[in-house]
Amino acid sequence: MTLAYWCVLIAILLPYLSTATAKFLGPGYGPRANQDPRAFLSTLEGWRKRANNAQLNGFEVTPAFAAAVIIAHQAGGAEQALLDQLAVAFVVSRLLYFVCYLADWGPVRSLVWFAGMGLIVALFVVSAS
């Protein structure tokens, strides 16, 4: 299995870092909240709400990243090392995105998001070579 494929697994798991942060790094989450965790998450404010928002965004972007990695491998137009580098850079961008969301750095977060999307596009472009 390539490093890029491992990055897909990491990207799939990263949203759960966000939800764990939202749920467990503050008061209020317990067995009662677990009966309807979405209702609990809708009551959050501040950095915990932003952590939940980062989770939702992670679930939105991960399928595109996974598709880009799989298609890039299948197309075979790029060296494996380049695919691995782009995939690792995407994972790093998602970690930075999470930090920016928690810190409430909206403009920087948006730039990091665009960089991550650019990396997804790059995976398609380099595989077309």
Side-chain angles (χ1 to χ4, degrees), residues 21-124:
T21 300
K23 289 178 180 177
F24 305 124
L25 294 184
Y29 193 80
R32 181 173 293 268
N34 195 44
Q35 294 298 327
D36 190 356
R38 291 180 186 202
F40 170 78
L41 290 167
S42 71
T43 67
L44 297 179
E45 296 179 356
W47 64 268
R48 291 175 75 193
K49 180 177 182 165
R50 292 190 301 274
N52 185 53
N53 291 342
Q55 170 202 229
L56 297 173
N57 184 266
F59 286 134
E60 293 165 358
V61 74
T62 299
F65 172 65
V69 169
I70 293 166
I71 290 167
H73 277 82
Q74 293 297 313
E79 294 291 324
Q80 187 60 51
L82 178 57
L83 298 181
D84 291 343
Q85 290 167 355
L86 291 170
V88 168
F90 177 81
V91 169
V92 169
S93 79
R94 294 308 300 172
L95 288 168
L96 289 172
Y97 181 85
F98 174 65
V99 169
C100 289
Y101 227 136
L102 286 183
D104 202 16
W105 299 335
V108 177
R109 183 191 78 232
S110 293
L111 289 173
V112 171
W113 181 87
F114 277 111
M117 293 305 291
L119 290 163
I120 291 172
V121 171
L123 282 161
F124 282 100

